[in-house]
Amino acid sequence: MNKNAKITVDCGGASEHAVNPYLFGHFVEDIRDHMEAMLAFPLKDMDFESESETKREISGSWYAYTNGRGTKYALEAPAPKHSGRAQRIRAMSDDEAYAGIAQKAALKGPADYTVKVVARASVELKELIVEAADRRTGETLGRVSIALTSHNWREYETSLSVSRACADAELRVYIPADHPRWTDHVSTGMLWLDHVSLLAADSIAMVKREVIDMTRDLNAGMMRLSGNYISAYHWEHGIGPVLERPVMYNEAWGGWTSKYFGTDEFIAFCRELGVEPLISVNDGSGTPQEAAEWIQYCNGDADTPMGALRAANGHPEPYGVKYWEIGNEVWGQWQVGTCTAEEFAARTVSFAEAMKAADPSIALLACGHYDQEWNKPVLEQAGERIDYLTLHIYHGYGPFGMNRDTPAEDRYKAISAFPEFTRHYVRETTKSIKANPKHAHVKIAVTEYNTMYYPNTIRKGLPNEHTLGAAVANAANLNEMLRGSDMVHIGSFSDLVNGWLGGCIRVGDYYADQYCGKQSGWSGRPLDVYGTPTYEVLKLYANRGLRHMLPVRTESDTFAVPALKKTPVALDALPELDVAAGVSGAGDTVTVFIVNRGLEEVNAVLDLAGFDAAEETVLYEITGDSYDAINSVFEPENILCRDRVVPAAEWQSGVPLRPSSVYAAVFQAKV
C-alpha cells in the first residue's frame, strides 16, 4: 500500500525577493585530475617538467621510443624564457635506428589535433615524425612529418589527423630509421625537445568540446575559480605566452598547477558559457597589492599598468569581473595561511581596501564558516567592507558518528538529511549577520557544497558521491537554498569536472578518488564523458526559470536518522517529501520541486492555490532502481532526467512518486 502525501502551494504569495541565477553556479579548481580531465590536451608532461620514472633520464609520463642500443637521453635547461625542461635525445648513426620518445594517450577519432613542438636539432637532422599508433595492434592511426629547419630553438605547428578513436594509443615523436645517416662526431644526431603537445581541433577555449557542451546545458549562472590551491597561487604566473609561464608546484594537492588554464583562459571559458566569473584571490601567501593588481589586470583600462599587460596579451577590452572572494577555508589547517578569525578579519580589511581601490564597483566575498565563533569576529571587523560571507557545506557521515559498518539504509537517511543542516547553518549565519546594522546588508554565498561520504573513497575506492542517493541529497539541499534565497544569493557545486570526490561531469573511468581507486584506462573507456545523477539534478533545477519563491505546506510521513552522536539539528521527524516551489518572472509558470527522500513510493496530491493551470503538466523525474545506482562509463545513461505529460486533474487524486527520487512538476497558466 502506497503512502499518501499532500502538497499545497500558495501561488498568491510570491516572494518579494528574486531568486539569483548565481544560486546555480559551479566551481573549477586545480585539484587532482580536474584540469587534466577538463582541458583538451591528451598528453601529460608537455614541458618535460616531471622527474624521470625510469632508469633513463626521460621526463615523467614519457618513455624511450627507440630500437637503437646507443641512443642517449638527458634532461637539461629549457629554451630561453620557457619553463619546464628540455628533453635531449642523441641518436647514433651506427645503430641505423629510429630514436625519440613516446607516451600513452587516449585519442578521439576520427579527429584532427593541432600539434605543437618546440625543438632544435643538429644540422644533419632534417625530419621529425609525430605519429599516433594503437599500442595493442601497432596500427598507425595518424602520421605527420615536420621538416627541421633550424639548429636553434624554433616552434613548429602542424595538424595530425587520427583515423579512429583509440583508448590505448601511443604518441611518438622521433627521428625515423630511414633518415639519411651521418658520421658520428661530437655534435651530430642530437635532438632537443622543449615542448610537445596535441590539442583537439574541436576544443573551445582549450577545453574539451564535450565538457563545454555539457556545462552549457547546466545553465550555471556563475563559475567560481578557487579552492585550496589558490592560497599559494600567484596569478601573474598564469598569464602571457603559455610556454613562458613558469611551472608551479601545486602546494595544496601535489603535482603541477596547470599553466595552461590561467586568468585569460578562465575568462574565455566563462564568456563561452555566458556565465559570470567569480575569482578568489591569494590571501594565504599573497598580498593585498597582488590582489589589487589582479583586479586591475581584469578590469583596468589599457592605459593602466596591469590593463596594458592584459592588452599586450591580446585582450585590449577590460573583462569587468565583478565578484571577488577573499580567502578559501582559511579556518582549515590544510590551508596555506590559515589563521584565527581575528587575524583573518584584519587581513580582510587590508585586502578589501586595496581591492576596492583598484575597482570600487566590485562585490567582495569573505571567507565564512558554519561555526559562528569564526563569523562574528569577521563581521565585527570587516563586515562593513564586504558584500557576502561564504559558507562551505559538505554533508556526510561524520556528524552522525556513522561508518561503513552502519546499515546502508541508515547511511542513506543520514545523507538525505542534508537540507536540515544547511537550514541550520544558514539561519545561524543570518542571525550573526543581522545582529548589527553595520553588517546587516551582507548576504550569504555557499561557494562549495556537496555530499561527503566518510569513510570515503580514499579508503574504499568506490563512487559513493555519484549515486542516486547523493543526487537526492543535493536536490533537497538545493530546495533549502531556494527556500533561503532571500539570503543565499550564490551557490557553487563542488566540483564541475572530476577533481574532488563528486565532480558532476565525469571524464573517463577514474573512480571518485583516483589515488586509491582504479587507474584511468582500466575499463578501456577513458574517453567517455558523462553526467552523474547529481548532474541531472543541477541541470533540471537551473533550467526551470524560477524567479520568485512560493510558500509550500507539505503533509507527508516522516523518518528518523539514528545518529550515534549529538547533532545540531533534530533528526527524529524529518518529512519524507522535501518540497520547494517557485514561479517565473511573468507569473505564468509554476514549478514544484519534490524530493522523495523516503524508501517507499508516495502518492502525492498537489494543490496549486490561486493558480489556474492548463490541463496538461510536465513532470520531470530522476529515478533509479536503488539509491546506490550510479552512471558509469559502462552505463552512462543509467540515470537520466526524463519527462512525461501528466494531466493536471491527476494531481487531485495523487501522482505516484518513486522512492529516492527527484521530481519537478511544471504547470503553465491556462490561456
Side-chain angles (χ1 to χ4, degrees), residues 134-174:
D134 187 317
R135 291 182 66 243
R136 299 184 181 185
T137 67
E139 175 192 354
T140 298
L141 305 173
R143 189 175 191 270
V144 65
S145 174
I146 295 175
L148 296 170
T149 58
S150 178
H151 178 261
N152 207 343
W153 289 111
R154 183 183 162 185
E155 184 176 307
Y156 301 90
E157 187 172 307
T158 186
S159 179
L160 176 69
S161 294
V162 175
S163 59
R164 63 172 176 82
C166 184
D168 192 11
E170 181 174 74
L171 192 283
R172 306 160 178 168
V173 184
Y174 64 97

Coordinates of all heavy atoms in Angstrom, one line a residue, residues 134-174:
D134 N 48.1 2.5 -32.5 CA 47.4 1.6 -31.5 C 48.4 0.8 -30.8 O 49.2 0.0 -31.4 CB 46.4 0.8 -32.2 CG 45.5 0.0 -31.3 OD1 46.0 -0.6 -30.3 OD2 44.3 -0.2 -31.6
R135 N 48.5 0.9 -29.5 CA 49.6 0.2 -28.7 C 49.4 -1.3 -28.8 O 50.3 -2.1 -28.7 CB 49.6 0.6 -27.3 CG 50.0 2.0 -27.0 CD 50.1 2.4 -25.6 NE 51.1 1.6 -24.9 CZ 50.8 0.7 -23.9 NH1 49.6 0.5 -23.5 NH2 51.8 0.0 -23.3
R136 N 48.1 -1.8 -29.0 CA 47.9 -3.2 -28.9 C 48.1 -3.9 -30.3 O 48.6 -5.0 -30.4 CB 46.5 -3.5 -28.5 CG 46.2 -3.0 -27.0 CD 44.8 -3.3 -26.5 NE 44.7 -2.7 -25.2 CZ 43.6 -2.9 -24.4 NH1 42.6 -3.7 -24.9 NH2 43.5 -2.4 -23.2
T137 N 47.7 -3.2 -31.4 CA 47.8 -3.8 -32.7 C 49.0 -3.3 -33.5 O 49.4 -3.9 -34.5 CB 46.5 -3.6 -33.5 OG1 46.4 -2.2 -33.8 CG2 45.3 -4.1 -32.7
G138 N 49.5 -2.1 -33.1 CA 50.6 -1.5 -33.9 C 50.1 -0.7 -35.1 O 50.9 0.0 -35.8
E139 N 48.8 -0.7 -35.3 CA 48.2 0.1 -36.4 C 48.5 1.6 -36.3 O 48.3 2.2 -35.3 CB 46.7 -0.1 -36.4 CG 46.0 0.7 -37.5 CD 44.4 0.7 -37.3 OE1 44.0 0.0 -36.4 OE2 43.8 1.5 -38.0
T140 N 49.0 2.1 -37.4 CA 49.2 3.6 -37.4 C 47.9 4.3 -37.6 O 47.1 4.1 -38.5 CB 50.2 3.9 -38.6 OG1 51.4 3.3 -38.4 CG2 50.4 5.4 -38.6
L141 N 47.6 5.2 -36.7 CA 46.4 6.0 -36.7 C 46.5 7.4 -37.3 O 45.5 8.0 -37.7 CB 45.8 6.1 -35.3 CG 45.7 4.8 -34.5 CD1 45.3 5.1 -33.0 CD2 44.6 4.0 -35.1
G142 N 47.7 7.8 -37.4 CA 48.0 9.1 -38.0 C 49.5 9.4 -38.0 O 50.2 8.9 -37.0
R143 N 50.0 10.1 -38.9 CA 51.4 10.4 -39.0 C 51.6 11.7 -39.8 O 51.0 11.9 -40.8 CB 52.1 9.2 -39.8 CG 53.6 9.2 -39.8 CD 54.1 7.9 -40.5 NE 55.5 7.7 -40.3 CZ 56.5 8.1 -41.1 NH1 56.1 8.9 -42.2 NH2 57.7 7.9 -40.9
V144 N 52.5 12.5 -39.3 CA 52.9 13.7 -39.9 C 54.4 13.9 -39.8 O 55.0 13.6 -38.8 CB 52.1 14.9 -39.3 CG1 52.5 15.1 -37.9 CG2 52.3 16.2 -40.2
S145 N 55.0 14.5 -40.8 CA 56.4 14.8 -40.9 C 56.6 16.3 -40.7 O 56.0 17.1 -41.3 CB 57.1 14.3 -42.2 OG 58.4 14.7 -42.2
I146 N 57.6 16.6 -39.8 CA 57.9 18.0 -39.6 C 59.4 18.2 -40.1 O 60.3 17.5 -39.7 CB 57.8 18.4 -38.1 CG1 56.4 18.3 -37.6 CG2 58.4 19.8 -37.8 CD1 56.2 18.5 -36.1
A147 N 59.5 19.2 -41.0 CA 60.9 19.5 -41.5 C 61.6 20.3 -40.5 O 61.1 21.4 -40.1 CB 60.8 20.3 -42.8
L148 N 62.7 19.8 -40.0 CA 63.5 20.5 -39.0 C 64.4 21.5 -39.8 O 65.3 21.2 -40.6 CB 64.4 19.5 -38.2 CG 63.6 18.5 -37.4 CD1 64.6 17.5 -36.8 CD2 62.9 19.3 -36.2
T149 N 64.2 22.8 -39.5 CA 64.8 23.8 -40.3 C 65.9 24.7 -39.6 O 66.4 25.6 -40.1 CB 63.8 24.8 -40.9 OG1 63.0 25.3 -39.8 CG2 62.8 24.0 -41.8
S150 N 66.1 24.4 -38.3 CA 67.0 25.3 -37.5 C 67.7 24.5 -36.5 O 67.2 23.6 -35.8 CB 66.2 26.4 -36.9 OG 67.0 27.2 -36.1
H151 N 69.0 24.9 -36.3 CA 69.8 24.4 -35.2 C 69.4 25.1 -33.9 O 69.6 24.5 -32.8 CB 71.3 24.6 -35.5 CG 72.2 24.2 -34.4 ND1 72.8 25.0 -33.5 CD2 72.7 22.9 -34.1 CE1 73.5 24.3 -32.7 NE2 73.5 23.1 -33.0
N152 N 68.8 26.2 -34.0 CA 68.4 27.0 -32.9 C 66.9 26.6 -32.5 O 66.2 25.9 -33.3 CB 68.5 28.5 -33.1 CG 68.6 29.3 -31.8 OD1 68.4 28.8 -30.7 ND2 69.1 30.5 -32.0
W153 N 66.5 27.0 -31.4 CA 65.1 26.7 -30.9 C 64.1 27.3 -31.9 O 64.2 28.5 -32.3 CB 64.8 27.2 -29.5 CG 65.5 26.5 -28.5 CD1 66.6 27.0 -27.7 CD2 65.3 25.2 -28.0 NE1 67.0 26.0 -26.8 CE2 66.2 24.9 -27.0 CE3 64.3 24.2 -28.4 CZ2 66.2 23.6 -26.3 CZ3 64.4 23.0 -27.8 CH2 65.3 22.7 -26.7
R154 N 63.1 26.5 -32.2 CA 62.0 27.0 -33.1 C 60.7 26.3 -32.8 O 60.7 25.1 -32.4 CB 62.4 26.8 -34.6 CG 61.3 27.3 -35.5 CD 61.5 27.0 -37.0 NE 60.3 27.2 -37.7 CZ 60.1 27.0 -39.0 NH1 61.1 26.5 -39.7 NH2 58.9 27.1 -39.6
E155 N 59.6 27.0 -32.9 CA 58.3 26.4 -32.6 C 57.7 25.9 -34.0 O 57.7 26.7 -34.9 CB 57.4 27.5 -32.0 CG 56.0 26.9 -31.6 CD 55.2 27.9 -30.9 OE1 55.6 28.5 -29.9 OE2 54.0 28.2 -31.4
Y156 N 57.3 24.7 -34.0 CA 56.7 24.1 -35.2 C 55.3 23.8 -34.9 O 55.0 23.3 -33.8 CB 57.5 22.8 -35.6 CG 58.9 23.0 -35.9 CD1 59.9 22.9 -34.9 CD2 59.3 23.2 -37.2 CE1 61.2 23.0 -35.2 CE2 60.7 23.4 -37.5 CZ 61.6 23.3 -36.5 OH 63.0 23.4 -36.8
E157 N 54.4 24.0 -35.8 CA 53.0 23.7 -35.6 C 52.4 23.0 -36.9 O 52.7 23.5 -38.0 CB 52.2 25.0 -35.3 CG 50.7 24.7 -34.9 CD 50.0 25.9 -34.4 OE1 50.5 26.5 -33.5 OE2 48.9 26.2 -34.9
T158 N 51.7 22.0 -36.7 CA 51.1 21.3 -37.8 C 49.8 20.6 -37.3 O 49.4 20.8 -36.2 CB 52.1 20.2 -38.4 OG1 51.5 19.7 -39.6 CG2 52.4 19.1 -37.4
S159 N 49.2 19.8 -38.2 CA 48.0 19.1 -37.9 C 48.2 17.6 -38.0 O 48.9 17.1 -39.0 CB 46.8 19.6 -38.8 OG 45.6 18.9 -38.5
L160 N 47.6 16.9 -37.1 CA 47.7 15.4 -37.1 C 46.2 14.9 -37.2 O 45.4 15.2 -36.3 CB 48.4 14.9 -35.9 CG 48.4 13.3 -35.7 CD1 49.3 12.7 -36.8 CD2 48.9 12.9 -34.3
S161 N 45.9 14.1 -38.2 CA 44.6 13.5 -38.4 C 44.7 12.1 -37.8 O 45.5 11.3 -38.3 CB 44.2 13.5 -39.8 OG 44.0 14.8 -40.3
V162 N 43.8 11.8 -36.8 CA 43.7 10.5 -36.2 C 42.5 9.8 -36.8 O 41.4 10.3 -36.8 CB 43.6 10.6 -34.7 CG1 43.4 9.2 -34.1 CG2 44.9 11.3 -34.1
S163 N 42.8 8.6 -37.4 CA 41.8 7.9 -38.2 C 40.6 7.4 -37.4 O 39.5 7.3 -37.9 CB 42.4 6.8 -39.0 OG 43.0 5.9 -38.1
R164 N 40.8 7.0 -36.2 CA 39.7 6.5 -35.4 C 40.1 6.7 -33.9 O 41.2 6.9 -33.5 CB 39.5 5.0 -35.6 CG 40.7 4.1 -35.3 CD 40.3 2.6 -35.4 NE 41.5 1.8 -35.2 CZ 41.9 1.4 -34.0 NH1 41.3 1.8 -32.9 NH2 43.0 0.6 -33.9
A165 N 39.1 6.5 -33.1 CA 39.3 6.6 -31.6 C 40.1 5.5 -31.1 O 39.9 4.3 -31.6 CB 38.0 6.7 -30.9
C166 N 41.0 5.7 -30.2 CA 41.8 4.6 -29.6 C 42.0 5.0 -28.1 O 42.7 6.0 -27.8 CB 43.1 4.5 -30.4 SG 44.1 3.1 -29.8
A167 N 41.5 4.1 -27.3 CA 41.7 4.3 -25.8 C 43.1 4.0 -25.4 O 43.5 4.5 -24.3 CB 40.6 3.5 -25.1
D168 N 43.8 3.2 -26.1 CA 45.1 2.8 -25.7 C 46.1 3.1 -26.9 O 46.6 2.2 -27.5 CB 45.1 1.3 -25.4 CG 46.4 0.9 -24.7 OD1 47.2 1.8 -24.3 OD2 46.6 -0.3 -24.5
A169 N 46.3 4.4 -27.1 CA 47.2 4.8 -28.2 C 48.6 5.1 -27.7 O 48.8 5.3 -26.5 CB 46.6 6.0 -29.0
E170 N 49.5 5.3 -28.6 CA 50.8 5.8 -28.3 C 51.2 6.9 -29.2 O 51.0 6.8 -30.4 CB 51.8 4.6 -28.5 CG 53.3 5.0 -28.1 CD 54.2 3.8 -28.2 OE1 54.5 3.3 -29.3 OE2 54.5 3.3 -27.1
L171 N 51.6 8.0 -28.6 CA 52.0 9.2 -29.4 C 53.5 9.2 -29.4 O 54.2 9.2 -28.4 CB 51.5 10.5 -28.8 CG 51.5 11.8 -29.6 CD1 53.0 12.4 -29.5 CD2 51.1 11.6 -31.0
R172 N 54.1 9.1 -30.6 CA 55.5 9.0 -30.8 C 56.1 10.3 -31.5 O 55.5 10.8 -32.4 CB 55.9 7.8 -31.7 CG 55.3 6.5 -31.2 CD 55.2 5.5 -32.3 NE 54.7 4.2 -31.8 CZ 54.3 3.2 -32.6 NH1 54.4 3.3 -34.0 NH2 53.9 2.0 -32.1
V173 N 57.2 10.7 -31.0 CA 58.0 11.8 -31.6 C 59.4 11.3 -31.8 O 60.1 11.1 -30.8 CB 57.9 13.1 -30.7 CG1 58.6 14.2 -31.3 CG2 56.5 13.4 -30.3
Y174 N 59.8 11.2 -33.1 CA 61.1 10.6 -33.3 C 61.8 10.9 -34.6 O 61.1 11.4 -35.6 CB 60.9 9.0 -33.2 CG 60.0 8.4 -34.2 CD1 60.6 7.8 -35.4 CD2 58.6 8.4 -34.1 CE1 59.8 7.3 -36.4 CE2 57.8 7.9 -35.1 CZ 58.4 7.3 -36.2 OH 57.6 6.8 -37.2

